[in-house]
Amino acid sequence: MFTWKDVIQFAIKGNPTPDRRVEKTNVEWKQELTPEQYRITRKKGTERAHSGALCNIYDAGKYNCICCNTQLFDSTIKFSSGTGWPSFTQPIKENAIKYKKDMAFGMTRVEVICNICDAHLGHVFPDGPEPSGLRYCINSESIQLEKEDNDEN
């Protein structure tokens, strides 16, 4: 289980090696993404609090990167943080997320990025629930829910 110490170590000393890489030009990303998805994932934007489509959805499934479809988070570790963005306590795999020190806007934060395609996802904070104490604060526009198929027919 990741802790804040692990996050800081990755941000300072380097990130885990991804399983694969997806690299495209800005022109290719603009063709594949909506303008808002492009602004958030490729230009490090953010959506307004409480405006994202996935804030209050808790269906079973996996949350995948909107750019490369890599599984990033599982619905079982999603929680209501009250912050206005989908929040998770852990990534699905250690090497799914890349961590980067972010000093923008006069604050020191840790940016979380898809380790496969470098899409900006959001930030991680040390104020989440136990046992990890982590809160991955993720833009709805940077992820998509792949619902579990619970149809037993």
Side-chain angles (χ1 to χ4, degrees), residues 9-76:
Q9 289 300 311
F10 282 134
I12 292 171
K13 294 185 177 180
N15 289 284
T17 303
D19 292 337
R20 63 189 175 95
R21 290 286 301 156
V22 171
E23 297 181 15
K24 298 181 182 183
T25 66
N26 283 332
V27 170
E28 290 171 311
W29 287 125
K30 282 183 179 180
Q31 290 173 345
E32 293 180 18
L33 302 169
T34 69
E36 186 69 349
Q37 289 167 341
Y38 180 83
R39 182 185 73 80
I40 289 171
T41 62
R42 309 323 302 178
K43 297 296 183 183
K44 301 184 185 296
T46 191
E47 59 201 17
R48 287 186 343 270
H50 304 285
S51 69
L54 298 174
C55 283
N56 298 313
I57 293 176
Y58 294 92
D59 296 342
K62 306 287 189 252
Y63 288 86
N64 300 343
C65 176
I66 197 70
C67 295
C68 67
N69 206 38
T70 296
Q71 291 184 343
L72 301 172
F73 301 100
D74 190 280
S75 62
T76 60

Side-chain angles (χ1 to χ4, degrees), residues 62-126:
K62 306 287 189 252
Y63 288 86
N64 300 343
C65 176
I66 197 70
C67 295
C68 67
N69 206 38
T70 296
Q71 291 184 343
L72 301 172
F73 301 100
D74 190 280
S75 62
T76 60
I77 50 85
K78 186 177 183 191
F79 69 100
S80 178
S81 66
T83 61
W85 288 274
S87 297
F88 304 87
T89 59
Q90 293 284 300
I92 205 161
K93 286 175 62 175
E94 178 179 288
N95 68 347
I97 303 289
K98 183 186 294 186
Y99 303 88
K100 183 178 176 187
K101 186 177 179 181
D102 179 0
M103 305 269 303
F105 306 109
M107 300 178 271
T108 301
R109 303 180 292 176
V110 176
E111 177 187 10
V112 289
I113 303 162
C114 175
N115 205 15
I116 304 301
C117 71
D118 296 332
H120 170 76
L121 304 170
H123 292 84
V124 61
F125 302 95

